[in-house]
Structure formats: structure tokens, C-alpha cells
Amino acid sequence: MHPAPAAVPPPSSDPVRELVLAQRDRLRRFVGRHVGHGSVAEDITQQAFAEMSLAYDRFRGESKPSTWLYGIALNLIRNHLARSPERRYAFVDIDMLASEPCPDPDPVDRARWRQKVGLVDQAMAEIPEDLRTLLHLIAVDDLSYEEAARQLDLPIGTVRSRLSRARAQLRLRLRAHGAGLDS
């Protein structure tokens, strides 16, 4: 006698499972950008999901579940970095600092940078929301075209054409605001 084939469970309406499936790759990249180590990033990502799962019944809904999850991950990242041995420095002598350049940018460069960021924010706000969302997923969240297509439930060709349109509109708006694209 052969055992009966295992029944395929129906799609889950479990919000924790859905959040994990929707955010796992993006959260892993987010954590990786902060800690920079593959195995450490994976551990922190898994810990964030575990803590979110254990505390989900206490989630008050004052933000999106994904925002809450990223807050958990950010706290875990901060804790890791605070305890990380490679981030601890031994103070040797104040004279050692004389040859070290200041890590902060020049105030003039910093003001220029803030002005450019403000112009980009303003130009982004002026393009249609669907194009802005797609551009954000690709350029800021660093999703591949395929990942963005899956997340937005669009064909890959549509993603490519809309991304091209979004970039063109952003360039036009930046030029209209006097932002040079060459610097």
C-alpha cells in the first residue's frame, strides 16, 4: 500500500507569513547595507522576523506592519553595532589624530549636497506616483527589474518602459529646477 499523497495546504491568510514572504529579500538587503556581513545580516534578518512573529499579537497598528518590522530590524542592527568588536577603538594618543582628516564634509559641499537632494525630492514629488514608486523600488531599494515586476504585479517589459519614462520625467523636472545632472 502506498501512502496517500500529502495534501497541499490552502494559501495562508496568516499576516505574519505574508509579511515575511513580502519583505524577506528587501529586509535582508536593508540589514546588509548596515552591517555589511553576509552571515551577520542573515542572522539579524532572521532574528527580526522571529521577534516580529513573537510580538505580532501586541502590534497596535499605529504604522504599517512593514514599518514596524523595519523598526525591529533597526533596533537589532543598532544593538549589533554597539557590541561589535570590530567597531571598538582603542584610544592611543591625541597626537595620532593630527594626521587624520575630518570625516565630515566641508560645510559648503554639505550645503550644495542638501540643495541637490532637495531638488531631487521636489522633482520626484512632481512625477506620477506609479512612476515614482517604480523608480524608488529600483534606484533606492535596489530591487532588480524582476523583483520590482513581481512586487508591482507587472510584466517585465512594462517595468522597463515605465522606468525609462520615470527617468526621463525626472531629468526634465531636474533641468526645469536648474539642477545640473553632470555634477
Side-chain angles (χ1 to χ4, degrees):
M1 231 174 137
H2 296 284
V8 176
S12 172
S13 64
D14 177 15
V16 171
R17 185 181 192 305
E18 290 174 10
L19 187 58
V20 169
L21 292 174
Q23 297 296 324
R24 65 180 168 205
D25 294 334
R26 192 172 172 194
L27 185 66
R28 189 176 299 119
R29 282 191 303 274
F30 172 79
V31 172
R33 281 193 299 266
H34 290 282
V35 298
H37 304 291
S39 63
V40 173
E42 187 64 34
D43 290 346
I44 291 173
T45 301
Q46 291 302 319
Q47 187 177 356
F49 283 129
E51 290 190 17
M52 179 267 308
S53 177
L54 292 171
Y56 197 81
D57 60 331
R58 294 187 305 272
F59 175 58
R60 296 185 306 250
E62 294 173 355
S63 64
K64 294 189 331 190
S66 60
T67 303
W68 177 61
L69 172 63
Y70 281 77
I72 292 170
L74 195 54
N75 284 334
L76 292 170
I77 290 165
R78 286 181 185 136
N79 290 342
H80 168 76
L81 294 176
R83 293 187 308 262
S84 181
E86 64 269 10
R87 293 186 50 92
R88 293 192 183 136
Y89 301 99
F91 185 74
V92 180
D93 185 1
I94 198 159
D95 295 331
M96 296 289 291
L97 297 176
S99 63
E100 291 295 317
C102 177
D104 294 331
D106 175 60
V108 173
D109 290 340
R110 193 174 201 167
R112 284 186 190 129
W113 175 252
R114 283 187 178 163
Q115 185 177 23
K116 286 181 182 180
V117 169
L119 290 173
V120 170
D121 284 344
Q122 187 177 359
M124 283 287 287
E126 294 172 0
I127 66 174
E129 185 176 353
D130 62 326
L131 298 180
R132 184 172 56 240
T133 299
L134 177 61
L135 192 56
H136 192 274
L137 289 173
I138 302 279
V140 177
D141 293 342
D142 201 27
L143 263 61
S144 68
Y145 290 6
E146 292 80 11
E147 291 169 321
R150 271 194 306 275
Q151 188 163 338
L152 297 172
D153 196 26
L154 294 171
I156 189 80
T158 303
V159 167
R160 286 189 172 116
S161 64
R162 286 185 184 175
L163 183 61
S164 177
R165 195 171 343 127
R167 287 175 174 158
Q169 286 191 22
L170 183 60
R171 271 192 297 275
L172 285 172
R173 286 183 174 62
L174 285 170
R175 283 190 188 113
H177 290 293
L181 300 175
D182 55 336
S183 57

